[in-house]
Amino acid sequence: MTSWIFLCVSALLGGMVNSIAGGGTLLTFPALLWALTGVPQGSVIANATSTVALFPGSVASAWGYRQELARVKGWLLLLLAPSFAGSVLGTILVAKRDPDEFKALVPWLILGATVLFILQPVFGKLVSRKKDSVQSLTIRGKILVVLFQFTIAVYGGYFGAGIGILMLSALSVLGIQDIHDLNALKASLASAINFISVTMFIGFELVNWRLALPMIFSAIVGGYAGARIARKLNRNWVRFIVIGIGLTVSAYYLWRSAM
């Protein structure tokens, strides 16, 4: 019961953080690692369960941008295939490789995702300088953005924290200029990546449903509440809390791996 309460709180806060600033995985994944301590493939199951728990929130975010998405339909069609393919590869890697390999990468993945989260304002400033709407890219540019999206999707299928930040930077640099169009495309592609991961994790029977189900409902409540209070809450404080958690957790697991 104590574990469930702790996990539900982490999912509630994760859903809120995703609505307000992004980075909810940095709350749910470490919580699940703690709850699954000593369980075989615990780190992989924690990753799968965290992805499933937060997936409804990403879908809700994409739905919220459905009007803007109509303006970037062409981009979505171009990038869906590499998103699906990359997510399949990343999910297979985490599900079928030696769990100890993923466990050894956990502190570095959390640290990397935290660094991306820290750099989020830099990407935001880059996007805010842009004007107008989506511009057409050359064939070479389209190939580059497809390859970059495939790489992001592989990482998304493998771990996932920070993929939204990666896409914000890549898509803004390579031609997506309107901030609302950019967020609509980012949210939809993230949902596509997570959908593949969720489906495959379920197929590989890596999801702990006893923990996932209450977390799903908590994350939905948190996402709804976060959207309602986003305009009133100081986003900087939320960012500082998430960054602090990410740095602390990564340092803790780096310390444990060195023992």
Side-chain angles (χ1 to χ4, degrees), residues 65-73 75 123-136 167-187:
Y65 281 109
R66 59 190 180 278
Q67 293 182 345
E68 289 81 3
L69 191 61
R71 296 198 293 266
V72 290
K73 183 178 179 180
W75 287 102
F123 298 136
K125 290 179 181 179
L126 177 65
V127 174
S128 67
R129 294 195 192 102
K130 303 293 185 179
K131 298 179 180 180
D132 303 323
S133 59
V134 176
Q135 292 181 346
S136 297
M167 281 190 284
L168 278 176
S169 60
L171 297 175
S172 62
V173 170
L174 294 175
I176 307 298
Q177 296 186 347
D178 184 271
I179 182 59
H180 300 299
D181 293 351
L182 181 66
N183 275 324
L185 186 58
K186 181 259 296 179

Side-chain angles (χ1 to χ4, degrees), residues 24 28 32 36 54 94 99 112 141 150 177 193 195 207-208 219 223 225 234-235:
T28 55
L32 281 161
L36 295 169
L54 293 177
V94 73
F150 173 79
Q177 296 186 347
I193 292 170
F195 172 75
V207 180
N208 186 318
N234 188 319
R235 295 167 66 95

Side-chain angles (χ1 to χ4, degrees), residues 45-73:
I45 294 174
N47 185 32
T49 305
S50 175
T51 302
V52 169
L54 293 177
F55 175 64
S58 67
V59 174
S61 177
W63 176 254
Y65 281 109
R66 59 190 180 278
Q67 293 182 345
E68 289 81 3
L69 191 61
R71 296 198 293 266
V72 290
K73 183 178 179 180

